[in-house]
């Protein structure tokens, strides 16, 4: 029989134990930041009805990008983000939740498209959303940015410093209105702005020209990226409002202690549902990762589920994008994650298993990670090799003599020093060195 | 436009925030037990190649039970257990892992069949496996049982006491050989034994009669459940070996401190890959849940992936089966999970956001869960209502006076007592009451 492949499917992440411990450690640290900020951790189904995942409008586009299947008459699929499920959940629990509701989801999402470098088909994102009924101050947009910043900061030893870039949808809406663009032109230009970073200045200029065929308007749009937004003050009420919102927002961010924020009007966030301020985090030491986290404000989160107007600001941290990529490229020093074992308990002979188990249980009861080697017929040499391989800090060797004398032979695996101690003293020794 | 449904698909679990905190708390406690026992936490892909999920033999049966889809030429599907992925992973990383390798997976699994009461289509299981190359003492089977027992014990305040029942595949093999059953009869009888609990004594007797048509043999098999296994001593070498293994195993379990184990030869564990001892945990206060955890030994885990013989003992704890069922039926008192918020920071006016944010950040830096209410134009009445609804233990109210005097107005939400304090003293107060 031919052997089957042992590699996971392309685009799927699989980590070795020490890598996984680093991944889990970073997730736990970041989640702790969110918990201290009052976010409720939600764990929603990974499978949703197809009609929840998408509206008919963009079905064709999304179908090629998703994992879909049919059971009986019901078409369903794996979620591609956390927002679809959250909007359904919140709309279904309006009376069970307190608003503004702070929700976080750290969960796997799925994209069915062919895997590319850095684009996974299964990946973790860590979402933060703050949802209000009918009204929600943009102060909450700043709060989300502040909390994401603190979450990234909590693992800075691994990923380095970050920066957040803030854009504004209303600003562009106001510019487009002021330039009297058609609906189609607005859409085209917006897509260009969203892709500007990837396409380069020349292609961007060409795209503008194709869409507008009006050198003056083209230059005005280009000038946003060279001369900034201040030139647009006093052009229209809508422009003034958008600029006012953006500048006040930067002041609020500063007041919240966010010192690494800059305005960047090329930040557009492609997804259709954003309607206000938008933002993206970048890791300064890892520009190759692109966007580490991003989000923005949406005026109506759950319109297709509820007549109640749910306003929100939400963001997703690209957890796998950041950590799986770094781990797979060995960019994190894993040495501190190699040694989770405090004590290897080595058992010489089946008769001594009961005594050894008493030792193991006492260690674990005292919060000491203890692994027993229970192939008791194996030679001491094999057993101590095992203790060495799992990087145990200590071995406790249990043979007939130890049982007879009710002691344990404790070996410090680093120094090689060995002594015969009572269990109580052995535990003290392990804890002292810990 | 019609509103779309807000309920999740049938068979999918969705918890409210306090329920989720209980669920997460129990998972974390149990995982801590596994970590102290040296298990490496693995997080493998939820999607596997179809050929990994199943062999051609039982394809038809499994296809109706799975979520499958095709991308390009590749047929793939969602895992239904943790073992398929683990066997692939271990076979692919023989040189990266230290054996005996202790692996744990706490992850979602999927079954595509129609949802029934207590049968979820998406559910968490917590797996434990210990894997050896070529050899692995049954002491490890006892270790797995011991660790599962400790894990369940760690959440006994919620689920009550448990019991483990131990069966033996080799015992039945030996009985069947001694009775000189045909291969087909062996299979039929084994299925009957596996279903005995559900079918009742009468149907069981009828099934035996249909399969064997030999009153004497039928009575011998029935007698196992009434008179036990000791009558089979000295009947055949194979029987003696199986009985010896089982009785010695119970002694080892006892020596490991497992005092709630009994022999139950009706425990068969349907899945084909078990070859040795098998076991099931039951919750004594919740018989309606059926098996809370179960597992056993397999002689060759990864034969389809590797020529190296990987022997293992593994078990799965039915985490969703236990906790989601209890939470959804309100069998757990959630009051202790309702109050995650230490301080609600209420902000009177946009001018005070920066000062309030300093307070919030200081609290969070000091490991105090703090939520700010940032719709600053809302009246005090609305804001204090919010603090009340989220069950905050304290409110810190920040208005113009507090900013001017560089203090915070701290209100104990239980007693109603309010005082003006420096931030440092306010933090001390919160920590004292914690």
């Amino acid at each position: 029989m031919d052997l089957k492949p042992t590699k996971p499917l392309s685009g799927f992440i699989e980590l070795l134990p020490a890598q996984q411990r680093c991944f889990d450690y970073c997730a736990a640290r970041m989640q702790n930041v969110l918990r201290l900020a009052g976010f409720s951790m939600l764990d929603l189904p990974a499978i949703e009805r197809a009609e929840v995942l998408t509206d008919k409008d963009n079905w064709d586009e999304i179908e090629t990008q998703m994992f879909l299947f049919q059971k009986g008459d019901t078409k369903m699929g794996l979620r591609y983000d956390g927002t679809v499920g959250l909007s359904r959940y919140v709309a279904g629990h309006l009376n069970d939740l307190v608003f503004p509701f702070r929700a976080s989801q750290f969960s796997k999402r799925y994209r069915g498209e062919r895997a590319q470098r850095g684009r996974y088909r299964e990946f973790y994102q860590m979402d933060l959303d703050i949802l209000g009924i009918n009204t929600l101050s943009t102060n909450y947009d700043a709060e989300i940015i502040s909390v994401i910043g603190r979450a990234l900061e909590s693992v800075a030893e691994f990923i380095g410093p970050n920066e957040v870039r803030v854009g504004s949808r209303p600003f562009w809406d106001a510019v487009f209105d002021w330039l009297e663009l058609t609906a189609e032109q607005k859409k085209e230009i917006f897509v260009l702005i969203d892709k500007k970073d990837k396409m380069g200045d020349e292609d961007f200029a060409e795209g503008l020209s194709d869409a507008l065929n009006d050198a003056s308007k083209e230059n005005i749009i280009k000038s946003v990226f060279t001369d900034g937004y201040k030139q647009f003050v006093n052009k229209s009420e809508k422009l003034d409002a958008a600029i006012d919102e953006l500048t006040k927002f930067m002041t609020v961010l500063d007041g919240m202690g966010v010192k690494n924020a800059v305005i960047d009007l090329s930040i557009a966030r492609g997804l259709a549902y954003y309607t206000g301020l938008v933002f993206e985090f970048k890791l300064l030491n890892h520009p190759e990762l692109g966007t580490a986290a991003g989000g923005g404000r949406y005026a109506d989160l759950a319109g297709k589920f509820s007549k109640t107007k749910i306003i929100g600001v939400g963001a997703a941290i690209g957890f796998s994008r950041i950590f799986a990529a770094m781990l797979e490229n060995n960019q994190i020093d894993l040495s501190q994650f190699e040694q989770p074992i405090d004590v290897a308990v080595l058992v010489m002979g089946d008769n001594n298993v009961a005594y050894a188990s008493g030792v193991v249980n006492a260690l674990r009861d005292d919060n000491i990670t203890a692994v027993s080697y229970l192939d008791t017929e194996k030679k001491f040499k094999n057993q101590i090799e095992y203790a060495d391989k799992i990087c145990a800090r200590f071995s406790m060797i249990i043979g007939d003599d130890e049982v007879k004398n009710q002691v344990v032979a404790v070996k410090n695996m680093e120094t090689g020093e060995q002594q015969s101690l009572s269990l109580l003293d052995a535990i003290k020794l392990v804890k002292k060195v810990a």
Side-chain angles (χ1 to χ4, degrees), chain A:
Chain A
M1 198 180 76
D2 282 348
L3 294 177
K4 293 182 176 180
T6 60
K7 280 211 189 305
L9 285 156
S10 73
F12 289 78
I13 298 159
E14 199 155 86
L15 301 174
L16 285 169
Q19 295 177 318
Q20 188 70 53
R21 281 189 285 273
C22 176
F23 191 89
D24 294 347
Y25 174 83
C26 291
R29 277 198 102 137
M30 292 171 70
Q31 284 190 291
N32 190 45
V33 171
L34 308 194
R35 240 179 242 114
L36 286 171
F39 284 81
S40 285
M41 304 296 155
L42 299 180
D43 183 7
L44 305 181
I47 296 176
E48 295 280 357
R49 289 180 190 84
E51 62 176 322
V52 170
L53 291 172
T54 181
D55 300 324
K56 264 174 198 145
D57 297 339
N58 57 347
W59 177 259
D60 284 350
E61 185 195 335
I62 288 193
E63 189 160 27
T64 61
Q65 300 168 359
M66 291 206 303
F67 290 106
L68 288 177
F69 29 75
Q70 186 152 355
K71 288 281 169 188
D73 293 336
T74 313
K75 221 172 178 179
M76 50 186 89
L78 289 166
R79 65 175 161 217
Y80 51 86
D81 74 9
T83 309
V84 282
L86 180 67
S87 56
R88 181 186 54 67
Y89 175 87
V90 171
H93 291 293
L94 288 173
N95 295 323
D96 302 314
L97 306 172
V98 182
F99 293 90
F101 176 57
R102 292 167 188 238
S104 179
Q105 300 177 73
F106 178 58
S107 61
K108 286 183 171 182
R109 291 98 200 253
Y110 297 86
R111 293 200 180 149
E113 59 207 304
R114 192 173 287 280
Q116 299 163 33
R117 202 181 130 70
R119 299 273 289 174
Y120 300 107
R121 293 203 279 182
E122 179 188 64
F123 53 95
Y124 278 96
Q125 287 182 335
M126 196 178 281
D127 282 14
L128 296 78
D129 289 89
I130 304 181
L131 308 170
I133 305 293
N134 294 323
T135 169
L136 190 76
S137 163
T138 53
N139 291 330
Y140 288 105
D141 304 46
E143 160 83 347
I144 289 246
I145 289 176
S146 163
V147 174
I148 293 177
R150 292 169 70 91
L152 294 173
E153 202 53 48
S154 75
V155 291
E157 62 186 295
F158 304 109
I159 64 175
N162 67 79
E163 170 184 84
V164 57
R165 309 183 80 85
V166 180
S168 163
R169 292 258 187 150
F171 170 78
W172 283 112
D173 288 339
V175 170
F176 296 163
D177 277 357
W178 177 62
L179 293 177
E180 297 178 334
L181 304 191
T182 65
E184 204 188 325
Q185 284 175 325
K186 288 180 186 178
K187 209 171 157 184
E188 274 183 75
I189 307 285
F190 194 73
V191 170
L192 282 173
I193 293 168
D194 191 39
K195 293 186 180 160
K196 180 175 173 292
D197 266 6
K198 281 177 194 148
M199 66 199 306
D201 286 349
E202 242 174 80
D203 286 355
F204 180 69
E206 205 173 294
L208 283 183
S209 166
D210 288 351
L212 299 179
N213 196 20
D214 180 327
S216 150
K217 290 182 181 179
E218 291 162 36
N219 284 331
I220 288 172
I221 289 175
K222 279 186 263 183
S223 74
V224 173
F225 303 105
T226 50
D227 305 342
Y229 61 91
K230 284 182 184 150
Q231 52 178 313
F232 295 94
V233 172
N234 278 330
K235 302 292 186 198
S236 76
E237 266 183 44
K238 223 176 143 181
L239 265 165
D240 284 350
I243 291 168
D244 189 48
E245 178 185 60
L246 187 56
T247 49
K248 278 198 179 144
F249 184 71
M250 299 310 284
T251 310
V252 173
L253 272 183
D254 189 70
M256 285 192 179
V258 178
K259 304 297 180 192
N260 57 348
V262 293
I263 291 176
D264 179 351
L265 290 162
S266 77
I267 302 293
R269 309 291 301 157
L271 288 169
Y273 52 71
Y274 291 117
T275 53
L277 297 165
V278 288
F279 52 87
E280 291 186 356
F281 281 79
K282 299 198 190 299
L283 302 185
L284 298 177
N285 296 351
H286 300 280
E288 78 284 0
L289 289 177
T291 304
R297 161 162 298 236
Y298 29 85
D300 187 8
L301 176 67
K304 64 183 180 185
F305 300 107
S306 172
K307 286 177 180 165
T308 300
K309 194 177 171 197
I310 303 169
I311 301 176
V313 52
I317 303 172
F319 195 86
S320 291
R321 173 189 280 268
I322 299 171
F323 290 96
M326 289 207 189
L327 288 167
E328 294 190 337
N329 299 329
N330 299 314
Q331 290 187 46
I332 293 182
D333 171 17
L334 288 175
S335 54
Q336 67 174 288
F337 297 101
E338 293 289 355
Q339 295 197 43
I341 306 297
D342 296 315
V343 180
V345 176
L346 311 180
V347 192
M348 304 295 133
D350 251 359
N351 291 335
N352 302 321
V353 168
Y355 182 81
S357 298
V359 172
V360 167
N361 287 340
L363 291 167
R364 292 174 183 169
D365 283 342
D366 223 341
N367 247 351
I368 296 167
T369 304
V371 167
S372 46
Y373 191 89
L374 294 167
D375 283 314
T376 57
E377 81 290 357
K378 288 278 173 73
K379 289 178 189 152
F380 177 73
K381 182 173 161 293
N382 298 115
Q383 297 211 24
I384 202 82
E385 258 175 31
Y386 170 78
D388 210 44
K389 278 193 202 160
I390 62 172
C391 306
R393 294 165 48 236
F394 291 89
S395 288
M396 295 192 184
I397 302 145
I398 314 290
D400 296 342
D401 284 353
E402 281 73 26
V403 175
K404 202 176 105 196
N405 300 322
Q406 298 285 299
V407 292
V408 293
V410 187
K411 185 180 170 115
N412 182 319
M413 296 298 287
E414 206 186 324
T415 64
E417 192 191 352
Q418 185 171 326
Q419 47 190 320
S420 191
L421 294 174
S422 73
L423 176 54
L424 269 180
D425 285 339
I427 289 177
K428 273 187 206 153
L429 176 66
V430 171
K431 291 197 137 179
K432 206 167 76 185
V433 179

